[in-house]
Amino acid sequence: GDGQEEPRPVAPRRRSRQIMVGNVPVGGDAPVSVQSMTTTLTSDVNATLQQIAELTAAGCQIVRVAVPSQDDAEALPAIARKSSIPVIADIHFQPKYVFAAIDAGCAAVRVNPGNIKKFDDKVGEIAKAASAAGVPIRIGVNAGSLDKRLLAKHGRATPEALVESALWECSLFEEHGFRDIKISVKHNDPVVMIEAYRQLAAACDYPLHLGVTEAGPAFQGTIKSAVAFGALLSQGIGDTIRVSLSAPPVEEVKVGAQILESLGLRRRGLEIVSCPSCGRAQVDVYTLAEQVTAGLKDFPVPLRVAVMGCVVNGPGEAREADLGVASGNGKGQIFVKGQVIKTVPEAQIVETLIEEAMNIATEMGFE
Ligand code: SF4
């Protein structure tokens, strides 16, 4: 064969309705996607876009940004416009930021039912604005911020309590005819979390976002997430995943991708990733990315190739990519594993990348 046989997935997928998070389908027969969350201040547009560039180059497919303040809400239009992967706004208390996020062009909004009381009278308006914009909502239940009513009823954050909270929240949106929803029910204990998702999977057909909260430092969090996601994905449950680590988010993406590859849920193929570009960009990143994609179209080896908008941060941000280019001043710095190996005129970028891709393929033992 050509080394590119389809992996055998671990189990048939649960049937879920499909939603679109920007251009990334979630649920149905869509591949399980990997997401992460930025750790920068969202109000710092350039720092946030730079971190998104790093995450994108590591294979992140959807990114979430926290929106705790007005400054953060005001940064959303620039971030949503420039990110090359869909941006989800994470909103806890303030309905006005939900509207701001939808207006800003965010691909989805995450709300937390434990904090929803303030949303109550706003759910109808949110449903209306979200469906007009084609923006799905993630109902994100967290053990740590469970609705007090449910905490009192169940005594603690049991799987039943998490599921009841999520379905109750869904019902508020369903009353307004809104079903463009995905759900998460996160807990720091994989045993509780696994049971909660199993119950949820049986109770509804919404796509599910898997996550273990406060999973801990890299070593512990990696194991907890791998075990919990493995248990669920091996039963076909889970449509998108986020590994939470007390570590740089790029580590979360690497772990998430490895989990999917281990379960035969992700095929390693040629992947072209491009930075969202920020104030530093000296080149039209989108056009360059298209040219590189066209140039490497039939390349048969699994490689991640990064196309970055500037020579200042590009190679560093793409250090998880196998190969890439950072452009500026009519030149392209070609880098391998984040190290600049040569600089070529812009017209030679594509041919040089193909050449270097061949070299890497040979090193990897491909003929
Ligand atoms: Fe990063 Fe440079 Fe792209 Fe800005 S232009 S996101 S600094 S690679």
Side-chain angles (χ1 to χ4, degrees), residues 291-299 303 305 323 334 348-361:
Q291 288 169 351
V292 173
T293 304
L296 284 169
K297 190 168 50 99
D298 295 318
F299 198 71
L303 280 186
V305 181
L323 174 67
I334 306 296
Q348 284 168 28
I349 288 174
V350 177
E351 63 190 84
T352 311
L353 281 177
I354 294 172
E355 223 173 83
E356 290 306 324
M358 296 288 194
N359 291 343
I360 295 175

Side-chain angles (χ1 to χ4, degrees), residues 49-50 53 275-281 308-310 313-314 317:
L49 284 171
Q50 286 180 33
C275 86
S277 91
C278 69
R280 287 212 175 81
M308 309 302 275
C310 77
N313 293 336
E317 284 173 2

Side-chain angles (χ1 to χ4, degrees), residues 2-9 31-32 34 59 61 256-271 297-304:
D2 58 358
Q4 288 290 287
E5 286 120 44
E6 286 296 334
R8 206 149 39 90
V32 180
V34 173
Q61 293 160 294
Q258 273 298 316
I259 291 173
L260 295 184
E261 279 170 32
S262 305
L263 292 168
L265 291 168
R266 174 177 278 201
R267 167 190 170 141
R268 272 282 266 145
L270 177 71
E271 208 184 330
K297 190 168 50 99
D298 295 318
F299 198 71
V301 178
L303 280 186
R304 184 174 298 133

